[in-house]
Amino acid sequence: MDWGTELWDQYDIIEKHTQSGLELVEKYVKFVKERTEIEQNYAKQLRNLSKKYNLKRSSKDEPECRLSSYQSFLDIVNEMNDYAGQRELIAENLMMNICIDLTKYLQELKQERKTYLMEAKKAQQSLESTYKQLDNSKKRFEREWREAERAAQYAEKTDQDINATKADVEKAKQQAHMRAHVAEECKNDYAAQLQKYNKEQNQFYFNDMPLIFNKLQDLDERRVQKLAQGYILFSDTEKHVMPIIGKCLEGITKAGTNVNEKNDSMVVIEQNKSGFERPGDLEFEDYSQGINRASSDSSLGTPKGPMDLLGKNRSKNFWLFSKKSKPTVTEDFAHLPPEQRRKRLQQKLEEICKELQKEVDQSEALGKMKDVYEKNPQMGDPASLASQINQTSQNIERLRAELNKYETWLAEAGGRGDTLRYKTHTFNNNGAHDMHSPDGAHSDESTPDASQAIYAEFDDDFEDEEVTAPIGKCTAMYNFPGASEGTISMQEGEVLAVVEEDKGDGWTRVRRNNGDEGYIPTSYVTINLNK
């Protein structure tokens, strides 16, 4: 069943129905937009909530951050932030797949409907115009036929009138004949117009309008189908992210199961134990001995008086329950309990060692560069590096002194000094390789300083370490003698394997096929790194 057959005479109903259908699409689009705004606001509030309670904003050195309960709370906050991202994705997909798509489709339907209605109106106007022509032709035929009858009656009356002349009779007959001819022509024209109108009316009701109505029916059915798809998308949009949302919720559950109360208790103990021994029993203080003692004040084990008896214990506080005043922070961390002091000193030593290693590497690079400048003046002025070399040497000496100082404190606190080692081989200010002094100054092997005794174990970087895999190749553009320690010679056009990139000091570490390794000036080669 179709509209063209069953609703051939319901143009107004069809026009109203199709308009109502388009309005329903607009209403649904508006509904989805408001849902989208709700999702966006919800996601924004979730993100703000996650940001507010994110423990990353606090210092990472806070003791609580190592507790599983705190870490799990941080995981929950992060999962909620990811959850908010999924709500944003829902809002975005609703807007793109429903609102924007349906709005575009709606505009196309409106234009198509407008075209069909204009075709229907045009066909209606054409039929009405033909009907007007038919009506005019009919009225003219009626009028001319009456005139012809009157003319015929007048001619007959004139012919019977004995007083009428022959000429009058002839004239009246001619007039009647002429009117009859005109009436006959109008009759034929009316018949032709009637035939034309009937044909157009048949075309209008059995072909043109049914075709237009069927097109409107197809348009409406496509509109309903598209709207139904939009209804399904409304649900599927959220279903598609449900697995990820489920993972977020699983992550929250996992965060709860990861809480380990026993481990948290151990962390609290490890972070806060003082290392002190628990106080022993107080001795009985016999004040009667002060009365019966001999006159001599030099008796062994005999206190001089009651106040002296109290002296060794009166300063003891019931520190377990007393309010502790804030200790004065000292450089050697002596204000901390023994266990905590050892940890802080150990941490400080590791920081100094890392900084010292950085300065040693810098000194080594400057020494190589100076040596190359002295042998190849065209590459640069060695004197330009003097200030940097001097500053690096001062930094190394300063760090050594700090290292020695903190090592001494650590030894006093009962800790060990073999925390980290740093490379001590470098170049002195003259470009010579020195195995003992990172700053390039000569150091007598028989009298090393205190920090050297603990940290200055030679780190055989180039002898004991495993062979590094090449990261690319390079081709020499110029000859390089490689006369200084740590460098390697090369000839123009020679291809070498790159094992370490330029770290900003102008040198690249390369290796030959025979295994020889060393540094070359980066500007002397063209480098192709592996991707």
Side-chain angles (χ1 to χ4, degrees):
M1 298 178 68
D2 52 55
W3 290 2
T5 302
E6 306 297 331
L7 302 177
W8 63 271
D9 57 343
Q10 300 297 329
Y11 173 83
D12 293 340
I13 297 296
I14 291 176
E15 181 183 23
K16 183 178 179 180
H17 172 76
T18 52
Q19 178 62 31
S20 177
L22 297 180
E23 290 174 354
L24 178 61
V25 176
E26 289 179 339
K27 186 179 293 185
Y28 180 63
V29 169
K30 185 178 179 181
F31 165 77
V32 176
K33 281 184 178 179
E34 292 188 13
R35 162 70 190 280
T36 300
E37 292 174 359
I38 293 173
E39 288 290 348
Q40 290 172 339
N41 292 333
Y42 180 42
K44 182 178 180 181
Q45 290 176 0
L46 286 177
R47 285 204 182 276
N48 291 337
L49 183 66
S50 299
K51 185 177 180 181
K52 179 180 178 181
Y53 286 96
N54 196 330
L55 297 181
K56 289 183 179 179
R57 298 175 58 189
S58 61
S59 173
K60 292 184 178 179
D61 295 332
E62 290 293 332
E64 292 82 1
C65 292
R66 292 183 57 191
L67 301 178
S68 62
S69 55
Y70 274 75
Q71 187 60 46
S72 292
F73 178 65
L74 177 60
D75 292 342
I76 290 173
V77 172
N78 290 336
E79 292 292 353
M80 287 307 298
N81 190 60
D82 295 341
Y83 181 86
Q86 298 307 311
R87 307 313 303 190
E88 289 174 342
L89 183 61
I90 290 174
E92 181 181 351
N93 289 340
L94 286 175
M95 180 61 69
M96 294 295 297
N97 299 334
I98 297 181
C99 295
I100 294 178
D101 186 53
L102 271 184
T103 300
K104 181 181 179 182
Y105 186 73
L106 182 63
Q107 296 303 320
E108 296 174 356
L109 288 184
K110 285 183 176 180
Q111 185 60 40
E112 186 178 354
R113 175 179 177 272
K114 183 179 179 181
T115 300
Y116 295 153
L117 293 180
M118 287 180 65
E119 289 178 1
K121 187 169 291 187
K122 187 176 180 181
Q124 181 76 20
Q125 290 174 349
S126 176
L127 184 63
E128 290 177 354
S129 175
T130 303
Y131 180 78
K132 286 182 179 179
Q133 293 176 3
L134 172 62
D135 189 57
N136 291 335
S137 176
K138 178 181 177 181
K139 289 179 179 179
R140 183 183 175 191
F141 167 60
E142 182 182 7
R143 183 176 60 253
E144 291 299 331
W145 185 253
R146 288 176 182 173
E147 290 293 329
E149 284 184 341
R150 283 197 291 270
Q153 291 175 359
Y154 179 75
E156 183 178 355
K157 183 178 179 181
T158 302
D159 185 46
Q160 295 176 359
D161 188 358
I162 57 174
N163 296 323
T165 62
K166 187 176 180 180
D168 291 335
V169 174
E170 189 64 26
K171 182 179 178 180
K173 287 183 179 181
Q174 288 180 357
Q175 184 69 22
H177 180 72
M178 183 189 68
R179 285 292 181 184
H181 180 71
V182 171
E184 189 63 26
E185 288 181 350
C186 289
K187 179 181 178 181
N188 293 335
D189 181 65
Y190 169 62
Q193 289 294 334
L194 181 62
Q195 186 179 7
K196 178 182 178 182
Y197 174 76
N198 287 334
K199 183 179 179 180
E200 286 194 16
Q201 179 177 249
N202 184 275
Q203 179 72 22
F204 179 81
Y205 284 112
F206 287 91
N207 292 294
D208 296 343
M209 291 307 294
L211 180 61
I212 293 173
F213 284 173
N214 289 339
K215 288 180 179 179
L216 287 171
Q217 180 182 359
D218 178 68
L219 178 148
D220 193 66
E221 289 176 355
R222 283 187 282 115
R223 187 264 311 169
V224 172
Q225 184 181 26
K226 187 72 173 180
L227 190 57
Q229 294 174 358
Y231 292 163
I232 296 172
L233 276 176
F234 188 79
S235 172
D236 288 348
T237 300
E238 189 161 352
K239 284 183 180 179
H240 288 160
V241 301
M242 286 304 291
I244 302 178
I245 290 177
K247 289 183 179 180
C248 292
L249 298 177
E250 289 175 4
I252 294 175
T253 302
K254 184 178 179 181
T257 58
N258 286 342
V259 175
N260 188 325
E261 65 278 3
K262 296 295 183 183
N263 184 67
D264 284 4
S265 295
M266 294 303 296
V267 169
V268 172
I269 293 172
E270 183 66 23
Q271 287 180 339
N272 299 287
K273 64 180 179 181
S274 66
F276 290 126
E277 294 293 334
R278 278 180 264 192
D281 295 339
L282 294 177
E283 296 179 2
F284 177 76
E285 299 173 5
D286 192 353
Y287 292 99
S288 63
Q289 290 185 7
I291 301 174
N292 300 325
R293 76 180 186 276
S295 59
S296 174
D297 292 332
S298 61
S299 300
L300 292 176
T302 305
K304 295 181 179 180
M307 295 306 294
D308 292 322
L309 288 170
L310 289 172
K312 62 178 180 179
N313 287 323
R314 65 182 178 184
S315 62
K316 270 192 176 179
N317 242 345
F318 288 99
W319 50 270
L320 181 61
F321 303 103
S322 62
K323 183 178 181 181
K324 296 181 182 180
S325 59
K326 188 175 182 180
T328 303
V329 178
T330 57
E331 187 181 7
D332 61 354
F333 304 112
H335 63 285
L336 296 174
E339 190 71 23
Q340 302 305 315
R341 184 188 182 200
R342 282 195 294 272
K343 290 181 180 178
R344 292 302 296 273
L345 287 172
Q346 191 82 14
Q347 181 181 357
K348 188 68 176 179
L349 276 170
E350 291 176 0
E351 293 174 358
I352 295 174
C353 282
K354 290 179 181 178
E355 190 174 352
L356 181 57
Q357 184 63 62
K358 184 178 179 182
E359 293 294 334
V360 167
D361 292 341
Q362 178 70 11
S363 176
E364 183 179 350
L366 290 172
K368 291 179 183 177
M369 189 176 294
K370 181 180 178 182
D371 185 65
V372 172
Y373 284 178
E374 288 176 347
K375 290 180 172 56
N376 302 278
Q378 72 275 10
M379 294 183 65
D381 183 10
S384 64
L385 303 175
S387 60
Q388 297 182 45
I389 293 175
N390 184 50
Q391 182 63 45
T392 304
S393 299
Q394 292 178 8
N395 291 343
I396 291 175
E397 287 301 325
R398 175 180 58 80
L399 291 170
R400 276 181 172 177
E402 287 191 19
L403 193 66
N404 187 36
K405 179 174 60 175
Y406 277 96
E407 172 59 27
T408 302
W409 287 336
L410 181 59
E412 292 175 357
R416 296 185 302 167
D418 55 350
T419 52
L420 287 177
R421 295 186 301 162
Y422 61 92
K423 293 187 296 182
T424 59
H425 57 284
T426 184
F427 290 80
N428 60 30
N429 294 342
N430 296 322
H433 191 263
D434 188 348
M435 300 292 289
H436 302 288
S437 302
D439 59 351
H442 178 70
S443 177
D444 191 347
E445 292 183 10
S446 61
T447 58
D449 67 10
S451 62
Q452 291 282 341
I454 300 170
Y455 291 96
E457 299 180 23
F458 186 78
D459 187 5
D460 297 323
D461 286 339
F462 300 107
E463 297 178 6
D464 297 335
E465 66 181 5
E466 296 181 358
V467 177
T468 307
I471 60 174
K473 294 183 179 180
C474 66
T475 305
M477 296 187 294
Y478 313 103
N479 295 335
F480 179 68
S484 60
E485 184 71 23
T487 62
I488 187 173
S489 64
M490 64 180 181
Q491 301 296 322
E492 181 180 352
E494 185 177 0
V495 178
L496 303 169
V498 179
V499 294
E500 185 178 320
E501 287 188 84
D502 187 343
K503 296 182 178 180
D505 56 5
W507 294 90
T508 299
R509 188 177 173 187
V510 298
R511 181 193 301 138
R512 282 199 180 91
N513 292 334
N514 61 7
D516 292 343
E517 288 189 15
Y519 288 91
I520 58 171
T522 305
S523 58
Y524 275 42
V525 294
T526 55
I527 300 176
N528 292 316
L529 297 178
N530 299 332
K531 295 183 180 179

